[in-house]
Amino acid sequence: MRTKAAPVARPYDVEEVRAQFPILKELVHGRPLVYFDNAATSQKPRRVIKAESAYYATINANVHRGVHTLSTKATEAQEAARETVRKHIHAEHAREVVFTSGTTAGINLAASSLGQLLLQPGDEVVISGMEHHSNIVPWQLACERHGATLKAIPITDTGEWDLKKAPFSDRTRILAIGHVSNTLGTINPVKKLIAEAKKRGITTVVDGAQALAHLAVDVQALGCDLYAFSGHKAYGPTGIGVLYGREGLLDRMPPWQGGGEMIDTVTLEKSTWARLPFKFEAGTPNIAGIIGLGEAIRWMEDYDKTAMAQHEQALLEHATQGLLAIDGLRILGTAKEKVGVASFVIDGVHHYDLGVLLDQQGIAVRTGHHCTQPLMDRFGVSGTTRASFACFNTIAEVDAMVAAVKKGVKMLR
Ligand code: 7TS
């Protein structure tokens, strides 16, 4: 019997990927740019840049307002992007996809609105000790406003949640946790913790800022109530993000910001709210950004996610080996499940000085506390040097960084 040959997966061709990123041709201090600051913001493929400029050049108009042709085209392009996002994150309905200006705005929306809906004096909100400030401060503000208390899951020496010490109680109302740590790279067992929270009737919010570019995100499989992310960390534009919300919950949540387009009726005495998702989208949205985000997702979907992830894992492994061979260097975040983030400290070398020396060789890394000060306190350091990889980085670039770190250590010690 003849068997059908399995389709041959297209090998991951990093040079073909790189050719799509115009910025990678730039020189920095006369050297080819090595961009390892993707956790701060990733670079953008030409298709995304073109989609944004094509919107301005051909169909620029406000959305959901005019009867004229351009407004209709702009509205269709925006709503097509919403559908692209819906499918990509496996949301059930497009009305569960709320456009925001980014993860920070999404979490502020969540904290402000859920705070009003759920928090009473004496209630508790649980986060973890590795959260970005964006997933700490909005909850502190909400707790302060409603007389609630903020608690945190402690972090182990490997940079993982210590779930045996998860501070759940019968007063816990909200769990707000990061899918992937921006500082350590840890991929957290969010699904497991959400299941535990659900059993206790706790509303769950996930900060997915660092996940979208690296993992296949399925909000229904995760079982979360809300999920926030930014476009710019996943090859999309800045100033645009998404807050996914389960319809039943979004329906009950009060609006965050008031203004045009989020209302159904307004009298001088009282207003009623527009249907989802518009109840949460006051004012003119970032239409070009939304279109660019849709294009970034379509661009990512053109590649086999597993092949992309394997490429990034190879970069991480190579970097980890190369860095650990340097005397006095310690990597923070040694979990088994990590995305391509290598955060390190070196005895006798300040991260800022090292970052400046790397930049002089064209290598962009982030230094400092990475907006995770409680995590820095947990590890007893003031900051780290962080290299964060994307699908367009190469092994040769990792070698260049390791060599530059070695050189830097010699100069600074
Ligand atoms: N949550 C996480 C886990 C993040 O990494 C960031 C940004 C945010 C929230 C905020 O996202 P924004 O798009 O609203 O700014 N993280 C980083 C970083 O690691 N370096 O610069 C920004």
Side-chain angles (χ1 to χ4, degrees):
M1 196 176 76
R2 282 181 64 194
T3 49
K4 232 181 173 178
V8 181
R10 196 158 52 120
Y12 190 78
D13 180 354
V14 70
E15 290 307 324
E16 184 268 336
V17 173
R18 289 178 71 76
Q20 299 179 52
F21 288 79
I23 208 165
L24 298 178
K25 296 202 177 62
E26 290 296 306
L27 298 179
V28 171
H29 300 298
R31 307 271 191 120
L33 167 66
V34 173
Y35 189 77
F36 284 160
D37 197 15
N38 293 286
T41 197
S42 67
Q43 297 302 347
K44 324 299 172 200
R46 194 173 287 109
R47 252 173 74 179
V48 170
I49 300 167
K50 271 193 175 163
E52 271 214 71
S53 80
Y55 159 74
Y56 283 123
T58 61
I59 58 168
N60 175 54
N62 214 327
V63 287
H64 291 295
R65 285 164 171 82
V67 291
H68 63 82
T69 302
L70 288 190
S71 175
T72 306
K73 284 188 173 171
T75 304
E76 283 168 3
Q78 169 172 303
E79 295 311 314
R82 198 188 305 271
E83 177 58 18
T84 299
V85 172
R86 180 200 73 73
K87 269 205 244 141
H88 190 74
I89 64 170
H90 301 272
E92 198 175 350
H93 307 292
R95 55 186 176 274
E96 297 178 319
V97 174
V98 174
F99 288 121
T100 64
S101 63
T103 310
T104 302
I107 299 173
N108 274 277
L109 189 170
S112 170
S113 181
L114 284 183
Q116 215 178 310
L117 182 69
L118 300 175
L119 294 181
Q120 300 288 335
D123 283 346
E124 292 168 6
V125 175
V126 171
I127 58 170
S128 91
M130 67 167 86
E131 300 308 315
H132 187 279
H133 296 164
S134 291
N135 200 31
I136 302 175
V137 183
W139 301 109
Q140 287 175 336
L141 293 170
C143 285
E144 216 168 277
R145 207 167 292 140
H146 301 286
T149 308
L150 190 64
K151 303 226 160 162
I153 301 166
I155 304 303
T156 65
D157 289 344
T158 55
E160 293 168 274
W161 292 337
D162 192 346
L163 287 177
K164 283 191 247 61
K165 296 186 186 149
F168 290 136
S169 79
D170 58 3
R171 296 307 302 265
T172 311
R173 297 286 172 260
I174 300 167
L175 170 72
I177 41 169
H179 198 165
V180 172
S181 160
N182 65 315
T183 301
L184 308 174
T186 314
I187 302 172
N188 290 309
V190 279
K191 189 173 171 178
K192 183 174 155 195
L193 194 59
I194 287 167
E196 168 73 24
K198 258 187 167 171
K199 276 192 234 151
R200 297 168 176 265
I202 297 167
T203 298
T204 55
V205 183
V206 179
D207 171 354
Q210 297 293 341
L212 195 77
H214 310 290
L215 308 178
V217 173
D218 182 333
V219 290
Q220 291 189 74
L222 288 176
C224 58
D225 292 305
L226 300 175
Y227 191 101
F229 63 85
S230 302
H232 71 97
K233 294 186 197 286
Y235 311 107
T238 51
I240 186 67
V242 165
L243 180 68
Y244 155 82
R246 208 170 36 76
E247 184 175 18
L249 179 62
L250 287 183
D251 269 336
R252 288 191 295 130
M253 284 166 61
W256 177 43
Q257 293 179 324
E261 289 304 300
M262 54 74 71
I263 53 82
D264 182 23
T265 60
V266 178
T267 65
L268 290 179
E269 289 74 36
K270 183 177 162 39
S271 303
T272 57
W273 314 134
R275 66 183 202 279
L276 293 176
F278 307 108
K279 178 171 104 175
F280 293 107
E281 293 182 356
T284 300
N286 177 359
I287 307 161
I290 292 169
I291 290 168
L293 170 61
E295 196 63 21
I297 288 176
R298 285 189 283 271
W299 181 84
M300 283 196 290
E301 286 177 348
D302 274 358
Y303 292 91
D304 174 8
K305 196 89 184 169
T306 310
M308 216 181 227
Q310 279 169 353
H311 175 74
E312 292 178 12
Q313 283 300 314
L315 296 172
L316 176 65
E317 273 165 37
H318 195 69
T320 305
Q321 279 174 17
L323 289 169
L324 286 177
I326 296 171
D327 182 41
L329 185 147
R330 184 161 63 98
I331 290 183
L332 264 61
T334 50
K336 246 197 186 148
E337 301 271 314
K338 277 180 68 172
V339 301
V341 170
S343 226
F344 54 92
V345 290
I346 308 175
D347 293 340
V349 174
H350 195 276
H351 47 82
Y352 176 83
D353 299 334
L354 182 61
V356 171
L357 286 182
L358 291 182
D359 178 62
Q360 283 169 2
Q361 298 181 59
I363 301 166
V365 294
R366 185 170 171 191
T367 64
H369 55 61
H370 316 295
C371 301
T372 52
Q373 285 184 6
L375 186 62
M376 296 292 106
D377 293 343
R378 160 65 182 84
F379 281 103
V381 298
S382 63
T384 74
T385 304
R386 180 189 70 182
S388 51
F389 308 121
C391 66
F392 52 75
N393 290 127
T394 65
I395 294 284
E397 288 181 319
V398 171
D399 286 338
M401 176 189 71
V402 172
V405 172
K406 279 184 188 153
K407 197 168 149 193
V409 170
K410 269 198 198 134
M411 287 170 73
L412 293 168
R413 263 206 196 123

